[in-house]
Structures are given as structure tokens and as C-alpha cells.
């Protein structure tokens, strides 16, 4: 089995060192192989691994996208289970209703409506962000830290570092914040120059914009979060000890009419730090890949660990059920609202190093 894992690592290394001007289908093949082999685990049969590589070369883009979404969702499900084990006093006593409040209006930032019932927030263990982060590392082998970047230039500022080890194909981080569809660009702070001096904003290949600045470094509680309070994140913030960097908080200068409805989110989420990942410098290779992920809002018991809220109504997409999962499909069986977020996937095995991504090669704008 060791030789099989070594062979998989050689395939990953070849893909990771490919030229950065890869095409979209090349990225899909890469992500499909990474996430599929990761799902199989180190003890996968050699023939199955060869089948995955062959499938990547023969499948259409839509088929690859569907399988990538399924693989990512599988990992997110395991992550949510680990977070429940850490934070919920007695997982056996909780119910799906207790885990997440009614979702009819709660996940729409720009939608008016009655405030979310805070009493629907389940009781959680009294752990701070650092303690949750360490507990997650104990369970899955890694967590994330925001520290001064290791990039070899003075203006690198902050960087995202993985603390621990993760295999290739692992979901390393989730991009948090407010999600804007193209119809709501005019509401993005700084519009129309939405990317000018906005280091914590990213655009997916489908035009969806995620503004992570309101999320900042997260928080210390599970709460109704609507993205109204925005932390000012300085390029070279200094740590004040175990509690992490000091932040200066402010409120959006132009509150939006009807805003004020958020969703119950776990602000101690250790993986909700993808926005601190730096662009790989010239001559360096990325060690993670940015991958769009459409989280189905039907998964209410996982919702609190997805660090995003949608401006206005979440997008409804045509989906088809595969087992317990819902994924995009042209021939739909149902319409399901989704949060169009983004994750970072390890392009190779990682160990105690800075997380670097090449946004240009993955058709992302930042």
C-alpha cells in the first residue's frame, strides 16, 4: 500500500508543477483526482486509483464538477461531525431542529423580515477559538493559524499557515463572508471598483463575489451573524498572545435598507480563514487549489459551520440527489437553494507550512 501512496504522490507532484496557465478542464481533472484519491484513503486499491486517473481523462466537465462537489461535501460532512463532537455537550440529545433555526428567511442578509430566534441556538461547550482549533487538530490532524507571512518580500503581510499535516486532496480552508450574485454587485462596498484595495474579496469563475472582510478572524461564540460589523484588518497586525491579533471594529458606513437578518453561524470555526491565504509569488508553486463549492441549504444540521451568508436570497439551482447529497444537474429532480462559497484543497501533502494559492491559474479574481 505504501508504493501505491507514493505513486499517487508522484501524480500529484507532476500536476502541481505543471505550468500555471492551465485550462479550466485541466483544473477540474486535477481537483477530481485529488479529492477522489483523498476520499479513498491511503489504503486504496491500486486498480481503483488507476481507474480514477482514467476517468478524469474521459469524463466531461459537468461530470467532473459533480464528482468534485460530492467529494468536497463528503469532507465537509466529516468536518461538521468533528465540530459537533467538540462543541455540543451531548450529541446524542440534539435534534436537527435544535442544530439549526428555521431557514426560510434567516440566511438572507439583504432580505427584510423578523429577527432570527436566538433561543434556537443550541448550547455549546465554553471553549474559546484557540481551544476549538486545538481540539480540531487533535481529531483531523491539522488546523490553521494566521501569522506573519513567510513569503520572501517585505510587503507579504499576514499569511495562512497550516499547523499539522494534511494529505493531498484535503479541504484545508473555507472562504468566509457575504456572498453576492451578479445581480447585487451594486451593493458591494466600494462598487464599482470592488477589487480595488480589497484583499479579502474573491470572485468565483461564475461571477459570484465573496467578501470576507466582515468575517475577519472569526469570533468566540456561536451567534446570529449578518455581516454588519466589519473588522479593520491591518496588513501587519501584531499578535497580543494566545487570544490572537487585536482588531478595531466598525460598522458599515452605509447600512442597507432591510438588512439585519442573519444566520446562526459558529464563529469559532478554525477553517474559516481561507481569505488569509497569499498568492504564490513568481517562481513559486501553489500548494492548494481554489475550488468552488455549492453548499445545499437542505443540510440544516451542517449549516452553522458554513461561514457564509447570502446577500438577498440564496441562489436556487437545479439539483439531483446522489445518496444523501444534492448536486447540480441539467436534468433536475428538485430545486435546492445553495450557498455559492469556495474552499481551498491541498494540491499535495502539507505539513507545518504557509498555504499558497495561484488565483490566476484557477480563474479566480482577488
Amino acid at each position: 500500500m505504501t508504493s501505491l501512496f507514493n505513486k499517487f504522490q508522484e501524480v500529484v507532484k507532476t500536476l502541481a508543477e505543471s505550468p500555471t496557465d492551465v485550462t479550466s478542464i485541466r483544473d477540474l481533472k486535477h481537483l477530481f483526482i485529488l479529492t477522489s484519491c483523498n476520499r479513498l484513503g491511503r489504503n486504496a486499491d491500486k486498480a481503483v486509483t488507476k481507474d480514477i486517473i482514467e476517468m478524469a481523462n474521459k469524463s466531461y466537465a459537468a461530470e467532473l464538477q459533480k464528482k468534485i462537489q460530492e467529494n468536497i461535501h463528503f469532507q465537509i460532512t466529516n468536518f461538521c461531525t468533528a465540530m459537533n463532537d467538540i462543541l455540543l455537550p451531548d450529541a446524542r440529545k440534539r435534534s436537527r431542529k435544535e442544530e439549526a433555526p428555521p431557514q426560510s428567511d434567516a440566511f438572507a442578509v439583504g432580505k427584510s423580515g423578523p429577527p432570527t430566534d436566538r433561543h434556537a441556538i443550541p448550547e455549546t461547550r465554553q471553549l474559546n477559538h484557540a481551544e476549538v482549533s486545538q481540539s480540531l487538530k487533535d481529531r483531523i490532524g491539522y488546523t490553521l493559524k494566521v501569522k506573519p507571512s513567510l513569503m520572501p518580500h517585505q510587503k507579504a503581510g499576514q499569511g495562512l499557515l497550516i499547523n499539522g499535516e494534511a494529505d493531498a486532496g484535503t479541504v484545508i480552508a473555507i472562504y468566509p463572508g457575504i456572498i453576492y450574485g451578479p445581480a447585487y454587485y451594486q451593493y458591494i462596498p466600494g462598487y464599482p471598483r470592488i477589487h480595488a484595495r480589497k484583499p479579502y474579496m474573491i470572485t468565483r469563475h461564475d461571477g459570484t463575489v465573496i467578501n470576507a472582510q466582515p468575517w475577519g478572524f472569526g469570533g468566540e461564540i456561536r451567534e446570529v451573524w449578518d455581516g454588519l460589523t466589519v473588522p479593520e484588518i491591518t496588513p501587519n497586525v501584531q499578535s497580543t498572545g494566545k487570544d490572537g491579533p487585536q482588531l478595531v471594529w466598525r460598522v458599515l458606513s452605509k447600512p442597507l435598507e432591510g438588512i439585519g437578518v442573519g444566520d446562526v453561524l459558529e464563529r469559532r470555526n478554525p477553517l474559516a480563514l481561507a481569505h488569509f491565504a497569499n498568492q504564490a509569488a513568481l517562481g513559486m508553486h501553489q500548494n492548494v487549489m481554489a475550488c468552488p463549492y455549492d453548499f445545499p441549504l437542505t443540510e440544516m444540521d451542517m449549516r452553522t459551520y458554513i461561514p457564509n451568508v447570502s446577500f438577498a436570497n440564496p441562489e436556487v439551482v437545479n439539483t439531483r440527489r446522489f445518496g444523501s447529497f444534492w448536486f447540480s444537474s441539467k436534468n433536475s429532480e428538485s430545486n435546492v437553494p445553495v450557498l455559492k462559497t469556495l474552499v481551498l484543497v491541498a494540491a499535495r501533502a502539507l505539513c507545518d507550512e504557509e498555504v499558497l494559492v495561484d488565483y490566476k491559474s484557477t480563474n479566480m479574481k482577488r
Side-chain angles (χ1 to χ4, degrees):
M1 293 303 174
T2 302
S3 61
L4 171 60
F5 183 72
N6 291 336
K7 176 177 172 142
F8 168 52
Q9 292 294 340
E10 291 176 4
V11 173
V12 170
K13 182 178 180 182
T14 301
L15 288 168
E17 295 179 350
S18 299
T20 57
D21 56 341
V22 293
T23 62
S24 178
I25 189 65
R26 180 76 170 273
D27 289 337
L28 287 175
K29 290 179 180 180
H30 191 170
L31 284 166
F32 171 74
I33 292 173
L34 286 170
T35 58
S36 296
C37 289
N38 181 278
R39 186 169 180 176
L40 288 174
R42 295 190 175 190
N43 295 324
D45 183 81
K46 183 176 181 179
V48 176
T49 305
K50 290 178 63 176
D51 289 342
I52 288 175
I53 298 174
E54 184 177 354
M55 189 183 303
N57 293 321
K58 292 183 178 181
S59 299
Y60 291 107
E63 295 172 333
L64 293 176
Q65 289 175 331
K66 181 181 67 179
K67 293 301 297 181
I68 291 169
Q69 289 291 305
E70 182 178 351
N71 292 338
I72 296 295
H73 192 76
F74 177 80
Q75 290 195 47
I76 294 294
T77 301
N78 291 338
F79 161 68
C80 293
T81 299
M83 289 294 287
N84 278 339
D85 291 342
I86 294 167
L87 288 170
L88 296 185
D90 190 343
R92 293 173 298 178
K93 294 181 180 179
R94 67 183 174 85
S95 66
R96 294 178 69 94
K97 182 178 180 181
E98 293 174 332
E99 176 65 15
Q103 301 289 326
S104 58
D105 290 327
F107 43 67
V109 173
K111 183 178 177 65
S112 61
T116 304
D117 181 9
R118 285 179 174 270
H119 296 293
I121 302 175
E123 178 186 357
T124 62
R125 292 191 174 98
Q126 299 300 307
L127 303 174
N128 62 32
H129 195 291
E131 291 170 331
V132 174
S133 182
Q134 182 59 48
S135 295
L136 183 67
K137 180 185 177 183
D138 293 341
R139 282 167 171 77
I140 67 175
Y142 67 93
T143 188
L144 299 173
K145 304 286 185 181
V146 178
K147 294 183 177 181
S149 175
L150 303 177
M151 299 282 282
H153 56 82
Q154 294 181 346
K155 296 183 179 180
Q158 294 172 305
L160 183 65
L161 284 80
I162 180 171
N163 177 221
E165 300 180 10
D167 290 337
T170 300
V171 172
I172 297 300
I174 309 172
Y175 209 95
I178 302 176
I179 299 170
Y180 298 85
Y184 299 97
Y185 280 174
Q186 66 268 33
Y187 299 107
I188 300 175
Y191 177 86
R193 300 181 63 188
I194 60 177
H195 286 285
R197 291 180 291 182
K198 300 287 184 182
Y200 302 109
M201 191 175 293
I202 192 169
T203 304
R204 298 191 346 165
H205 65 83
D206 60 1
T208 300
V209 174
I210 307 175
N211 181 14
Q213 187 167 359
W215 185 265
F217 293 90
E220 295 294 340
I221 59 174
R222 182 175 299 193
E223 64 179 343
V224 177
W225 188 77
D226 55 20
L228 278 175
T229 304
V230 182
E232 293 181 351
I233 306 173
T234 57
N236 291 287
V237 65
Q238 296 297 317
S239 177
T240 59
K242 67 178 182 178
D243 293 330
Q246 286 186 329
L247 297 179
V248 178
W249 297 89
R250 64 183 173 84
V251 177
L252 289 173
S253 58
K254 295 182 179 180
L256 300 171
E257 181 178 357
I259 204 166
V261 178
D263 207 354
V264 177
L265 301 185
E266 180 52 67
R267 298 274 283 150
R268 294 166 290 182
N269 189 335
L271 300 191
L273 296 170
H275 51 306
F276 290 104
N278 279 323
Q279 166 76 29
L282 185 65
M284 300 180 67
H285 295 296
Q286 64 178 0
N287 54 19
V288 296
M289 295 185 69
C291 177
Y293 169 56
D294 294 348
F295 173 75
L297 286 164
T298 51
E299 302 281 1
M300 291 186 296
D301 56 334
M302 298 165 55
R303 173 67 186 97
T304 193
Y305 301 117
I306 307 302
N308 303 94
V309 289
S310 180
F311 187 90
N313 291 321
E315 184 166 343
V316 176
V317 298
N318 294 330
T319 59
R320 174 175 295 178
R321 180 180 287 276
F322 289 87
S324 60
F325 305 136
W326 291 93
F327 300 100
S328 299
S329 172
K330 291 183 178 179
N331 299 318
S332 173
E333 293 179 357
S334 179
N335 292 327
V336 172
V338 299
L339 284 175
K340 290 193 165 189
T341 187
L342 183 142
V343 298
L344 300 182
V345 176
R348 57 170 174 79
L350 302 178
C351 178
D352 295 326
E353 59 188 285
E354 183 165 359
V355 175
L356 301 174
V357 60
D358 189 346
Y359 295 100
K360 297 177 182 178
S361 73
T362 48
N363 295 321
M364 303 290 172
K365 294 181 181 179
R366 189 184 180 201

